[in-house]
Amino acid sequence: MTTISNVTEKQKVLVETWGCQMNVADSENMLEMLEGENYVLTNDAEDADLVLLNTCHIREKATHKVLSRLGRLRETAKNHNPNMKIAVAGCVAQAEGKKLMDQAKNIDILVGPGKISELPELISKNKTTGKRQLSVGFRDPETKKINKTYSQSTTAKPAIAGKTEISRYVNIAQGCNNFCTFCVVPFTRGREISRTIREIVSETSNLVASGAKEITLLGQNVNSYGLDLLQGSTEEGSLREPFVDLLYQVADVPGLERLRFTTSNPHDFSPSIATAFSDLPKLGKYIHLPVQSGNDVVLERMKRKVTVAEYWERIDWLRKAVPEMAFSTDLIVGFPGETDEQFADTLSLVEKLRYSFIYAFKYSPRSGTAAARFTDQVPEEAKTERLNALNLLQDRITIEQNQNEIGNHREVLFHYESKKEPGVFYGRTEQFRLLRAQSESDLVGKTMNVRVTEANKTALVGDLIP
Ligand code: SF4
């Protein structure tokens, strides 16, 4: 295998990660590869031999943001660090490819999410030839390069700067086969490729052995995990669905206290996943289940493949399995053609379901997606009004829900200590509510019983129960 350099002196890498948890997991995997090549983390661009930007394409002006960061790095390189190399990874790299390299001449390496296993080799080639390197495209489902990327290490991958060691991410699949009409993911991350259960359990065990207490399994659509592995397989497998099988096996890892997963597409959400919540206490009492709209016509145009009634059916399965289940969701306002009446259906769904919190966004066209070509785009002003109305409603519900927690006893896994207020610790309840508590002894990594005493929109406050 090609190595980046023969020098024994450590090289320094600054990793900047934008966007979703998938990108955080990808950054950790790239960092793991780079550590194997004699790199250590730095937080300072002036000091970095390599700056790695792991980019996100989901929001508007994504490319503009990357170009602006590259412009600032050009100044840093000119004034303080002329030998700095710059690698751009992530979905902007995949979507823009050579065009981005033409726009920003200070990019040395450009690598798409499907090609991150090639990063060390690309850096090495850049160093030895002085030529700029580009590798984009999707993983080959035949060679399953994703497995090569993630499975070989027998030690825990490093956490990227700012991320807690207590709660870690494990990728279970890359890509998506769904093609929701607003979403760019199938174009930037390709079709779904799953890792094997053995690899995922092994990575989880390594992370738990290195101190992790909570694992979040990541995929664009975790519920369809493993269906690609079943295709063409002649081996006799479990009778359970692959994702459900995975949940039971990962939950068995000794020392793991909490297991979460995201993101779930309601279309592929089955009753067996709800049953897993009642069977496996480690799964807690919370799920993120994106609905996107409360109106069937809009859902149809989004190609979400579920109706509002089917979405409620899944909520009922979960509430029957775990009566105290807490929910969050994603919502898009101002999807092309959305009328005031259709938006009112979204408000009424939110009012009735009572999510703990929501991620609500104004629709913005992503190039290459079907909805970007719809001609009935909603005016910006209407989108802003709808977003404000939705957030106002949800803020009220969140405050009410949090205040209903006062007096309850909750099991809290503490993740970190406040840097500004030593002795103040933050953790999550089983319903994923943020809770702060004071303690003279270190609570990080501990699961404690807490009585909730106060609540506001963002967090609960509690006293430890001896
Ligand atoms: S299921 Fe999720 S990742 Fe896949 S196309 Fe739909 S929104 Fe995008």
Side-chain angles (χ1 to χ4, degrees):
M1 177 176 153
T2 320
T3 55
I4 292 171
S5 87
N6 295 325
V7 286
T8 48
E9 197 184 323
K10 294 275 186 199
Q11 305 267 292
K12 291 181 185 154
V13 57
L14 168 68
V15 182
E16 294 184 8
T17 308
W18 300 329
C20 64
Q21 294 124 323
M22 294 293 286
N23 263 17
V24 173
D26 279 353
S27 286
E28 290 180 348
N29 287 312
M30 287 190 279
L31 181 58
E32 182 183 22
M33 287 179 236
L34 292 173
E35 285 191 347
E37 303 288 346
N38 221 16
Y39 275 83
V40 289
L41 259 185
T42 176
N43 289 325
D44 186 0
E46 291 183 18
D47 195 32
D49 299 284
L50 174 69
V51 174
L52 172 61
L53 305 181
N54 195 8
T55 62
C56 169
H57 199 256
I58 210 85
R59 301 270 159 264
E60 261 181 309
K61 299 188 183 142
T63 309
H64 178 80
K65 281 182 199 152
V66 175
L67 287 170
S68 143
R69 180 67 184 122
L70 287 165
R72 292 200 306 281
L73 285 172
R74 187 179 304 113
E75 289 303 304
T76 309
K78 195 165 106 192
N79 297 325
H80 306 284
N81 186 357
N83 297 323
M84 175 202 291
K85 296 273 182 192
I86 297 178
V88 177
C91 292
V92 174
Q94 173 64 36
E96 301 292 326
K98 185 168 177 312
K99 192 169 141 212
L100 189 70
M101 285 190 108
D102 291 342
Q103 285 172 292
K105 300 287 181 204
N106 56 340
I107 299 175
D108 298 288
I109 295 124
L110 189 128
V111 59
K115 300 286 181 177
I116 61 175
S117 61
E118 295 174 16
L119 181 63
E121 198 166 343
L122 295 169
I123 297 173
S124 172
K125 276 189 191 158
N126 171 265
K127 283 190 173 175
T128 50
T129 65
K131 289 192 181 142
R132 305 170 83 200
Q133 302 293 318
L134 176 147
S135 182
V136 290
F138 300 132
R139 291 183 179 86
D140 176 357
E142 294 306 313
T143 56
K144 293 251 189 308
K145 270 207 165 168
I146 182 173
N147 297 340
K148 184 170 170 251
T149 306
Y150 295 121
S151 67
Q152 296 190 337
S153 173
T154 52
T155 55
K157 64 187 178 181
I160 58 169
K163 295 290 161 197
T164 160
E165 298 279 347
I166 300 303
S167 180
R168 301 295 300 275
Y169 298 132
V170 172
N171 257 324
I172 64 169
Q174 289 272 359
C176 182
N177 295 341
N178 273 326
F179 289 93
C180 300
T181 55
F182 54 82
C183 183
V184 78
V185 163
F187 304 99
T188 55
R189 291 194 176 252
R191 303 299 167 273
E192 187 169 284
I193 302 178
S194 305
R195 301 173 71 193
T196 64
I197 290 184
R198 193 166 43 82
E199 289 160 6
I200 296 164
V201 169
S202 155
E203 185 176 336
T204 302
S205 305
N206 291 338
L207 290 169
V208 171
S210 77
K213 304 283 183 192
E214 174 179 86
I215 293 293
T216 303
L217 303 176
L218 293 181
Q220 304 295 347
N221 174 18
V222 291
N223 302 333
S224 58
Y225 163 82
L227 298 181
D228 54 330
L229 300 175
L230 292 181
Q231 279 168 11
S233 166
T234 50
E235 281 176 38
E236 270 196 36
S238 158
L239 292 177
R240 286 193 292 236
E241 297 154 30
F243 179 59
V244 175
D245 215 2
L246 177 72
L247 289 178
Y248 283 80
Q249 293 201 37
V250 175
D252 254 357
V253 169
L256 178 69
E257 293 190 15
R258 284 198 181 162
L259 177 60
R260 301 192 188 276
F261 56 82
T262 198
T263 299
S264 281
N265 185 324
H267 172 257
D268 300 297
F269 192 93
S270 68
S272 327
I273 305 174
T275 306
F277 273 92
S278 55
D279 285 353
L280 305 170
K282 289 181 187 182
L283 279 177
K285 298 172 180 173
Y286 160 76
I287 188 169
H288 182 70
L289 198 59
V291 65
Q292 307 298 1
S293 167
N295 178 274
D296 282 343
V297 175
V298 178
L299 287 176
E300 170 82 35
R301 294 193 89 206
M302 287 176 167
K303 281 215 166 53
R304 291 293 287 173
K305 298 188 267 185
V306 278
T307 61
V308 176
E310 285 165 341
Y311 183 79
W312 272 109
E313 192 182 24
R314 282 132 183 87
I315 300 291
D316 288 344
W317 294 337
L318 284 157
R319 282 186 170 151
K320 279 200 185 102
V322 180
E324 282 194 308
M325 198 77 180
F327 299 90
S328 63
T329 199
D330 296 335
L331 288 156
I332 296 174
V333 301
F335 187 75
E338 185 192 61
T339 63
D340 284 341
E341 291 71 31
Q342 290 166 343
F343 171 65
D345 288 342
T346 297
L347 289 177
S348 103
L349 171 77
V350 169
E351 179 79 61
K352 204 164 143 209
L353 201 149
R354 301 186 68 75
Y355 294 103
S356 304
F357 60 94
I358 59 171
Y359 297 103
F361 304 101
K362 289 192 269 184
Y363 171 76
S364 71
R366 316 308 311 150
S367 121
T369 60
R373 295 188 292 276
F374 293 173
T375 50
D376 46 359
Q377 300 289 327
V378 172
E380 202 53 35
E381 211 173 287
K383 287 185 202 169
T384 306
E385 267 176 32
R386 289 175 195 175
L387 184 64
N388 291 343
L390 186 55
N391 281 333
L392 207 64
L393 169 63
Q394 182 57 44
D395 283 356
R396 172 171 63 72
I397 294 170
T398 302
I399 292 169
E400 283 169 10
Q401 294 223 332
N402 283 357
Q403 285 181 341
N404 285 342
E405 286 290 301
I406 295 175
N408 285 342
H409 289 194
R410 294 296 183 206
E411 218 174 68
V412 178
L413 170 61
F414 285 93
H415 290 205
Y416 63 95
E417 183 175 7
S418 164
K419 287 203 174 84
K420 288 189 191 146
E421 300 171 276
V424 171
F425 295 85
Y426 284 87
R428 296 262 175 198
T429 67
E430 286 177 289
Q431 283 96 348
F432 202 62
R433 294 196 170 92
L434 186 66
L435 181 141
R436 61 176 266 157
Q438 274 183 305
S439 167
E440 283 173 12
S441 60
D442 186 5
L443 297 183
V444 176
K446 295 194 176 128
T447 300
M448 310 288 290
N449 282 316
V450 178
R451 192 174 68 86
V452 181
T453 56
E454 290 172 48
N456 57 35
K457 196 179 92 183
T458 45
L460 311 175
V461 181
D463 290 335
L464 300 182
I465 300 170

